[in-house]
Amino acid sequence: MTSSSGAILREPRLRINRHRRLCLSITAVLVALSVLGLVLSWLSPIQAPLKPGLDFTGGTSIQVERNCGDRCAELSVQQVQEALPAAAVVQLLDDGQAVSVRSSALSPAESGAFVDALEQVAGPLIATDTQINTIGPVLGKQLLTSSVLALTVSFAAVALYISARYARLYAALALLALAHDVLITSGLFAWLGLLAGVEVNSLFAVALLTLAGYSVNDTVVVFDRIREQQRLLPDLSVEDQVDRAVDGTLTRSIYTSLSTEIPILALILFGGASLQWFAVALFVGIAVGAWSSVAVVPPLLPLMGGRLPQRAASSGVVA
């Protein structure tokens, strides 16, 4: 008997189906909280499931760097807002060393007036580091439409790929895992938008697309191991096959997720304000994707039959 066969016949250390109720209960709570956050965001003044950023709504963004040496004088958001010539969203970045202002679309003269006001309240400023970006409402709407279309196409492509490689049930569960990962990540940002004013932009859409690819990869690895179990040990129950498959891929999933999360964590801590929330979305999404591939999809398979058609189970095994 080969070493791989010995590994397959080995008694699994973790039987995920014994903890099915706990895993699915945790998932149900996370999904419910996410849906609640999205609904509350829609019913709030935001009037959308997520608080849209400048990329999607259009407007002008001004960011200035303060020239104040090692430590800048104390500055509050309220001080900046009172000094500006019109209402705007103000953020203090890097412990007050930079100021970000977002407003409706401004003309060049109006943008100059905003910079002058910032100079008075937060100056002196580093003139060469002043950034002014304006996005029109039409372009913002196009970016939003393109982001939604990209997510829809990725979902459809996943369904076709899994259907061609496995069975319709497996495609449905892969889509369920993908929707689960996107929903919980979006739900977190809905709560962040409500409680901390965090906005989503085109980088958030990129994070969701990246998450979709990562989630499918993780799920396919488990599906391949289940197919291997069904080919070599067809007389075992679906629960046993799933338990052995999860046990055989658990170490790999943990190591792969950790090796991915560590550099993303570094990006959160040291990547600067422009990439911080993009990195947070990736960090949370990858963690949720690892959870769904181990603790959501596998326990559901036995409840729905879960046995691949004989033709698919006997066709080769992907390592």
Side-chain angles (χ1 to χ4, degrees):
M1 182 176 291
T2 64
S3 59
S4 62
S5 297
I8 289 174
L9 292 172
R10 184 187 63 205
E11 187 69 15
R13 294 160 294 181
L14 170 67
R15 287 193 174 273
I16 194 66
N17 280 291
R18 290 181 180 175
H19 308 285
R20 178 191 302 163
R21 181 173 297 180
L22 175 62
C23 293
L24 296 183
S25 296
I26 292 173
T27 298
V29 170
L30 292 175
V31 169
L33 289 174
S34 299
V35 172
L36 178 62
L38 294 169
V39 171
L40 290 178
S41 179
W42 195 296
L43 296 177
S44 74
I46 296 174
Q47 296 184 338
L50 299 168
K51 187 173 184 180
L54 187 70
D55 290 359
F56 297 144
T57 60
T60 298
S61 171
I62 301 174
Q63 183 168 322
V64 296
E65 295 283 340
R66 302 173 69 190
N67 186 9
C68 46
D70 296 334
R71 185 173 181 179
C72 292
E74 291 291 333
L75 183 67
S76 69
V77 170
Q78 184 177 357
Q79 284 178 293
V80 178
Q81 289 175 330
E82 291 175 351
L84 295 176
V89 177
V90 176
Q91 286 182 294
L92 300 180
L93 309 175
D94 299 330
D95 295 327
Q97 293 187 2
V99 181
S100 173
V101 175
R102 294 187 180 186
S103 174
S104 56
L106 302 173
S107 67
E110 291 171 330
S111 298
F114 267 71
V115 174
D116 291 341
L118 290 171
E119 178 78 39
Q120 292 178 8
V121 71
L125 304 179
I126 304 176
T128 55
D129 288 344
T130 298
Q131 301 176 22
I132 302 176
N133 299 308
T134 298
I135 296 178
V138 175
L139 178 58
K141 186 176 181 179
Q142 289 177 346
L143 284 172
L144 179 59
T145 302
S146 299
S147 299
V148 173
L149 178 61
L151 285 171
T152 303
V153 170
S154 69
F155 272 55
V158 167
L160 290 174
Y161 169 70
I162 301 294
S163 296
R165 187 165 182 176
Y166 301 100
R168 290 181 181 177
L169 171 61
Y170 282 63
L173 288 175
L175 280 177
L176 178 64
L178 182 53
H180 163 277
D181 302 344
V182 170
L183 177 61
I184 292 179
T185 305
S186 299
L188 172 65
F189 274 78
W191 283 109
L192 288 172
L194 284 168
L195 302 177
V198 174
E199 299 175 343
V200 298
N201 53 25
S202 55
L203 280 179
F204 180 75
V206 172
L208 292 184
L209 289 171
T210 305
L211 163 62
Y214 191 94
S215 174
V216 171
N217 175 71
D218 238 12
T219 304
V220 163
V221 169
V222 177
F223 282 175
D224 276 334
R225 186 56 66 93
I226 293 173
R227 181 168 63 179
E228 183 181 17
Q229 298 287 334
Q230 294 183 354
R231 182 178 67 87
L232 297 176
L233 302 170
D235 295 331
L236 286 181
S237 66
V238 177
E239 285 84 354
D240 282 337
Q241 292 171 345
V242 168
D243 286 343
R244 292 172 183 272
V246 170
D247 183 71
T249 58
L250 184 61
T251 301
R252 173 207 172 274
S253 296
I254 292 174
Y255 288 167
T256 302
S257 298
L258 285 177
S259 63
T260 308
E261 296 282 48
I262 290 173
I264 295 177
L265 181 60
L267 194 60
I268 293 173
L269 297 176
F270 309 111
S274 60
L275 294 177
Q276 182 181 26
W277 295 115
F278 165 72
V280 168
L282 279 181
F283 187 90
V284 173
I286 288 174
V288 173
W291 169 262
S292 66
S293 67
V294 170
V296 177
V297 171
L300 286 175
L301 276 172
L303 296 178
M304 301 181 180
R307 193 175 291 276
L308 283 169
Q310 189 62 34
R311 176 181 60 82
S314 59
S315 62
V317 176
V318 180

